[in-house]
Amino acid sequence: MSDLNKWARAAAIRAIKTTCQCAIATIGTATALDSVEWRLVLSSSILAGILSILTSLAGLPEVEETDDAERNG
């Protein structure tokens, strides 16, 4: 698997996890306030996913750890 594929897979997994975590937090907060605004949940979750991908451009420890392990045998 190429380095770009490894990075893209790790970044996608991280972005999906971040998006889900944001949705859960937003739904939980909105439920406590007795009104879930689904547009807010969707927009904030998508924004969290985009920010996760942008943050991943700086580097992914998951990919770096795998590369180090492969190099060291």
Side-chain angles (χ1 to χ4, degrees):
M1 188 181 284
S2 75
D3 288 341
L4 180 59
N5 287 343
K6 288 179 189 177
W7 180 88
R9 179 176 167 81
I13 290 170
R14 179 180 278 191
I16 290 168
K17 288 179 180 180
T18 301
T19 301
C20 292
Q21 291 167 346
C22 181
I24 290 167
T26 306
I27 291 168
T29 302
T31 300
L33 299 173
D34 289 331
S35 79
V36 176
E37 291 187 35
W38 293 105
R39 290 176 66 184
L40 174 65
V41 172
L42 183 62
S43 64
S44 61
S45 298
I46 290 171
L47 178 59
I50 292 169
L51 292 174
S52 175
I53 293 292
L54 293 174
T55 301
S56 295
L57 292 174
L60 286 169
E62 297 91 335
V63 174
E64 293 167 10
E65 290 172 7
T66 302
D67 290 344
D68 290 342
E70 289 174 0
R71 283 188 212 121
N72 294 330

